[in-house]
Amino acid sequence: MAEADGLDDRDAVGHLLWAARLRPDGRLGPGVRVFRHGSATAVVSPALSGRDRIAVDGKEEDALVLVRDEVLAATGPGYRPFGDAELIAALVRGTPGLTAADGPEFLWMETTVPPPAVPEGVAWLDGRGEKEAATVFDHCFPDSYAQPGRPGTRRWAGAYDSDGGGTLLAVAGDAWSGAGCGFMAGVVTRPEARGRGLGAAVSRFVVDALVREYGRAALMVDADNTAAVAAYRRAGMSGREFGAAVARAWGSAGPS
């Protein structure tokens, strides 16, 4: 069991690459640490999509030893392990003080293939457009981790009213992306414009750009958001059930 200098070929897994926030030269992002034990890898990533996170992958028995005995001791209880749902459930069962995170079930979705067609009428927003996008979040999605101007967000795509009103109707962001894995977040459509395929259009535009620039596009979405999941599948993304855990009382026999 040891801390590693970076990722290697066996770590070419979407959520590990995302958490590593790799620079173009392959170096780890700011504050990122990598730990390994047997088949398991854990990537510790601070302030990633609104939280301090630990991306975990590998066989259950190796991941349990790694996370329970080394990683959580190195990070403290503020970091949340996340990964495949069955793996996280095993970590919760085997780690005193680690409990399943509250909230709905969610999917990790990704693709390494650009969508077959990119819709017209969507473009990257300029500074003025991003200010308008910020008002869309204020009114429609104020709890989004990804919003224009927040740390980790890079650029925003938008679709405007085609009827001549010039109103920004839907947006999607490129946020917390790094070499090997671009990440889409902050997909939102004004309520009065829903049902017109605009959310799907901005999503396909961003997915296309992320795959071409980073080699992979990924996102996380609530599993019960069926409309969004369907739109992302139409953009060529596939998903699997993920889970997250919280160290509520690290080192105790149970949650506090």
Side-chain angles (χ1 to χ4, degrees):
M1 212 166 20
E3 185 168 355
D5 293 334
L7 301 184
D8 59 25
D9 291 342
R10 62 178 165 170
D11 301 322
V13 180
H15 67 297
L16 296 183
L17 290 168
W18 177 57
R21 289 186 280 184
L22 295 174
R23 298 179 172 97
D25 62 4
R27 289 182 299 137
L28 298 173
V32 175
R33 302 171 68 184
V34 176
F35 296 82
R36 289 199 184 90
H37 173 69
S39 67
T41 301
V43 180
V44 175
S45 192
L48 177 64
S49 185
R51 296 189 184 278
D52 296 332
R53 302 180 188 267
I54 305 168
V56 186
D57 191 67
K59 294 180 181 178
E60 290 182 5
E61 58 270 25
D62 291 337
L64 178 59
V65 173
L66 179 63
V67 172
R68 181 192 61 203
D69 298 342
E70 182 166 354
V71 177
L72 286 176
T75 64
Y79 281 76
R80 297 161 59 104
F82 78 103
D84 284 290
E86 291 184 3
L87 177 59
I88 297 303
L91 294 182
V92 168
R93 290 193 300 269
T95 306
L98 193 67
T99 63
D102 296 333
E105 296 179 349
F106 66 99
L107 304 178
W108 172 271
M109 302 188 73
E110 64 175 56
T111 182
T112 58
V113 180
V118 179
E120 298 180 355
V122 182
W124 294 114
L125 301 176
D126 57 16
R128 180 177 179 181
E130 289 194 8
K131 289 181 180 179
E132 187 174 359
T135 66
V136 175
F137 282 96
D138 288 343
H139 291 94
C140 306
F141 196 6
D143 295 331
S144 175
Y145 291 149
Q147 296 191 34
R150 290 192 176 180
T153 60
R154 178 185 175 196
R155 54 186 174 173
W156 293 86
Y160 284 88
D161 188 348
S162 61
D163 297 333
T167 301
L168 184 62
L169 298 179
V171 298
D174 168 1
W176 304 289
S177 295
C181 188
F183 196 76
M184 181 168 69
V187 181
V188 61
T189 303
R190 290 186 185 273
E192 64 272 20
R194 290 173 185 165
R196 294 165 52 179
L198 296 175
V202 294
S203 296
R204 289 170 74 92
F205 178 91
V206 173
V207 167
D208 180 80
L210 295 179
V211 170
R212 295 182 188 280
E213 180 168 351
Y214 300 106
R216 183 189 314 260
L219 59 85
M220 290 188 287
V221 59
D222 290 344
D224 60 1
N225 190 343
T226 56
V229 171
Y232 302 145
R233 291 194 189 280
R234 289 196 296 272
M237 308 186 84
S238 59
R240 61 187 192 272
E241 293 183 4
F242 257 37
V246 179
R248 297 191 186 279
W250 179 236
S252 73
S256 60

